[in-house]
Amino acid sequence: MADLLIRGGTILDGSGGEPFVADIVVEGDRIADVGNFPHVQADRTIDAEDLFVVPGFVDPHTHAHDEAEGGILKIPDADNFLRQGVTTVVAGNCGGSPLPVGEHLEQVESLDIRTNYAVLVGHGSVRKAVLGMEDRHATPEELERMRALVHKAMEEGALGMSTGFMYVPGAYAPLEEVVALAEEVARRGGVFTSHIRDEGTGLLESIEEVVRVCREAGVPSQISHLKAWGRDGWGKAEEALKLLDDARGKGLPITADQYPYTASYTGLQSLFPEWALAEDKLEERLKDPEQGKAVREGIARKIDLAGGPDAILLAICEAHPEYEGRTLAQAAEDMDKDPVGAVEELVPSGPVSAIYFSMREEDVEAIARHPAVMVGSDGHLRRFGIGVSHPRNYGTFPRAWRWFVREKGLWTPQEAIRKMSGMAAEKFGLEGRGLLKRGYFADIVVFDPERFRDTATFRDGHGYPEGIRYVIVNGKIAVEEGRTAGRGYGRVLRLKHG
Ligand SMILES: [Zn+2]
């Protein structure tokens, strides 16, 4: 007697191979078999006729650990991911991660988590632990300490290292430092991910930097949330992809992830020039006539690149919740300031984040079409209905399906599922996950291909997708017809060292 039988569904196994109709037998936490088993009996049988049966989605790019916005320790049910069909989230991206990784993973393990959970160690966090917010090169001794921290994190189960060249203090590091630390990651079989330095004006040069790390450190690399951002980025997607092709043509293991939206989301402080944020001396610099002027010019330029103050929507604004959901132009008007003045006042007041409507559909679609690009949300955990949410937190996977499979036909269904599961599991070393295969963990999604779609919008970012029938995590039914189970079946996943 099997534990679970999924009968007669159309299987897209995560490898990109042709769909086929079959049954899946689950015993314990594993897939016992895939095939035709008319005589098998199970404790629970799901009739999947006319439905797609696919591997649980693997989200390689999340910020699910992030406490400032309510990370996994506060929101262990990870509903906004699970309800999309995501069964594994990788946190610690863009250079920021919890430290030490081992302690964090043990804490997470003590909770009733709903999805599987893994982390990368953040280069920015490691650098901050050793050099603080100083804008300078590390001494050889400091570099050794950083290397030891990365080594320890890898020993404790990190899947690899993330970098945030666009953020401080990651932006202060010379590339040699990152290469040295990435070598440590490569030695342990990990992956290197990068939020590149500049996704607009310097897009191509920034991709070259990741190619260099990939080549010099010999580390499998991933460009995070690849996009062509802002006025200077528009139209550059094809050139960016050509760089990716050139590198791959030389045998370099470099790939990318992408979320299917034309707006990004990050801290409002990213409108400041990086140098202005060094050593937490921002207020001092703003008061200095010469430096203050340079900071303000930098902010004005970035607002313009983003598409102007109407293209920036304030999301989280802890000290001034009255501005949440207002554009920067509107907030500035309320404050009786110009947009630069509003940014200058809001950023030091506490955590402020914003949604930037700064991408073009043509670029998003060009990137989606590339075979080395997988789906990743760049999302955060949210409690349903609370605060402003970028819709990607709830809608990345169903939206990618709706947009790129059903509306534009850019992907075949099997390609789509590979980009949502098998590809990320392979790249991030998640053994036994990402495919529907005998012996693999039973992380499975059953959905209606005609109805699967996102409902979260920029106006209301809290909305569960439609069309998901079942989500199975480690062999147990975690979501059934829109209802989540009373407990969690997720596990902490650590990199297995060969
Ligand atoms: Zn990022």
Side-chain angles (χ1 to χ4, degrees):
M1 188 92 144
D3 293 317
L4 177 66
L5 177 65
I6 304 170
R7 199 178 275 295
T10 300
I11 313 278
L12 294 82
D13 68 5
S15 71
E18 286 295 317
F20 55 96
V21 173
D23 309 324
I24 290 184
V25 183
V26 174
E27 277 167 19
D29 60 1
R30 304 270 182 163
I31 295 171
D33 226 332
V34 181
N36 292 306
F37 309 106
H39 304 299
V40 167
Q41 301 276 313
D43 283 342
R44 177 73 204 270
T45 300
I46 291 173
D47 174 12
E49 206 182 323
D50 299 326
L51 300 175
F52 279 10
V53 181
V54 306
F57 302 140
V58 176
D59 192 338
H61 192 100
T62 81
H63 296 276
H65 67 280
D66 197 331
E67 281 205 280
E69 294 172 332
I72 187 84
L73 300 179
K74 290 185 193 158
I75 313 179
D77 55 357
D79 222 17
N80 56 296
F81 287 104
L82 184 65
R83 294 279 295 266
Q84 290 180 55
V86 173
T87 56
T88 299
V89 295
V90 179
N93 273 287
C94 300
S97 76
L99 278 182
V101 162
E103 243 166 64
H104 171 72
L105 291 179
E106 277 164 30
Q107 256 178 307
V108 175
E109 218 152 36
S110 73
L111 302 169
D112 193 34
I113 56 170
R114 305 299 171 103
T115 66
N116 299 312
Y117 180 86
V119 288
L120 301 161
V121 62
H123 162 250
S125 303
V126 166
R127 189 172 221 271
K128 194 170 179 185
V130 174
L131 280 98
M133 295 297 279
E134 292 186 39
D135 183 1
R136 63 170 175 85
H137 289 202
T139 65
E141 184 264 339
E142 285 165 340
L143 184 60
E144 274 322 296
R145 277 163 59 204
M146 284 192 272
R147 195 199 296 272
L149 284 175
V150 171
H151 177 84
K152 180 164 175 280
M154 293 302 295
E155 290 285 295
E156 291 170 348
L159 301 185
M161 181 175 78
S162 74
T163 50
F165 288 125
M166 191 187 105
Y167 298 114
V168 297
Y172 303 144
L175 207 63
E176 293 68 33
E177 170 182 319
V178 175
V179 169
L181 299 177
E183 279 170 358
E184 197 60 45
V185 173
R187 216 167 283 144
R188 307 299 302 170
V191 66
F192 171 78
T193 73
S194 186
H195 181 142
I196 62 175
R197 200 174 297 279
D198 184 339
E199 296 175 321
T201 318
L203 175 64
L204 305 178
E205 297 83 342
S206 300
I207 290 175
E208 293 285 13
E209 283 192 316
V210 182
V211 172
R212 229 187 100 192
V213 176
C214 180
R215 186 178 59 234
E216 291 180 16
V219 69
S221 302
Q222 171 107 333
I223 297 167
S224 299
H225 43 62
L226 182 57
K227 62 173 80 75
W229 189 93
R231 292 187 201 283
D232 283 356
W234 295 338
K236 276 193 192 156
E238 298 286 358
E239 280 173 89
L241 293 167
K242 196 176 166 305
L243 291 180
L244 200 61
D245 282 332
D246 288 348
R248 289 171 60 79
K250 290 178 189 138
L252 293 177
I254 184 163
T255 47
D257 54 67
Q258 179 200 34
Y259 52 83
Y261 291 90
T262 50
S264 57
Y265 172 87
T266 195
L268 197 66
Q269 72 165 31
S270 69
L271 293 174
F272 281 84
E274 287 84 25
W275 60 264
L277 300 165
E279 293 147 45
D280 296 318
K281 286 185 186 150
L282 179 62
E283 296 198 44
E284 224 169 283
R285 291 193 176 102
L286 285 171
K287 279 184 200 129
D288 178 271
E290 209 167 295
Q291 293 191 41
K293 184 165 171 274
V295 174
R296 282 176 201 107
E297 281 168 4
I299 296 171
R301 182 173 148 69
K302 284 206 194 172
I303 291 174
D304 180 54
L305 285 178
D310 291 311
I312 300 172
L313 182 72
L314 299 176
I316 288 172
C317 193
E318 278 187 11
H320 295 283
E322 67 272 24
Y323 300 133
E324 291 184 357
R326 308 275 287 160
T327 64
L328 178 59
Q330 291 167 333
E333 208 180 299
D334 292 354
M335 295 165 81
D336 212 11
K337 287 182 183 297
D338 65 3
V340 173
V343 170
E344 213 182 298
E345 178 158 328
L346 287 174
V347 168
S349 76
V352 198
S353 61
I355 296 171
Y356 300 79
F357 293 85
S358 309
M359 287 176 258
R360 286 196 164 168
E361 275 187 18
E362 303 89 277
D363 288 310
V364 175
E365 289 177 0
I367 291 166
R369 220 179 274 126
H370 196 280
V373 176
M374 61 191 86
V375 178
S377 69
D378 199 8
H380 290 81
L381 292 172
R382 283 290 185 270
R383 284 184 218 280
F384 192 80
I386 297 181
V388 176
S389 169
H390 189 299
R392 69 190 182 192
N393 297 326
Y394 288 84
T396 293
F397 289 80
R399 182 179 171 84
W401 179 267
R402 175 165 69 85
W403 183 357
F404 302 140
V405 178
R406 295 191 51 208
E407 293 174 1
K408 290 295 173 83
L410 303 182
W411 301 342
T412 63
Q414 57 268 34
E415 269 171 339
I417 299 305
R418 177 172 168 269
K419 283 170 175 282
M420 296 179 184
S421 57
M423 221 173 143
E426 191 186 334
K427 182 86 194 194
F428 285 72
L430 299 169
E431 245 175 68
R433 303 198 186 260
L435 297 176
L436 295 183
K437 248 174 99 170
R438 185 192 299 169
Y440 272 57
F441 287 96
D443 292 342
I444 303 171
V445 178
V446 180
F447 71 93
D448 179 340
E450 300 303 320
R451 289 194 53 227
F452 189 35
R453 67 174 199 98
D454 56 315
T455 68
T457 61
F458 285 105
R459 195 179 287 270
D460 182 7
H462 298 266
Y464 294 120
E466 290 175 357
I468 291 265
R469 303 291 292 275
Y470 296 89
V471 181
I472 294 151
V473 179
N474 293 308
K476 300 283 193 301
I477 297 175
V479 176
E480 178 171 2
E481 307 287 5
R483 290 184 309 275
T484 47
R487 52 156 300 191
Y489 304 110
R491 294 179 189 168
V492 165
L493 307 182
R494 295 177 175 83
L495 188 66
K496 297 230 182 4
H497 299 293

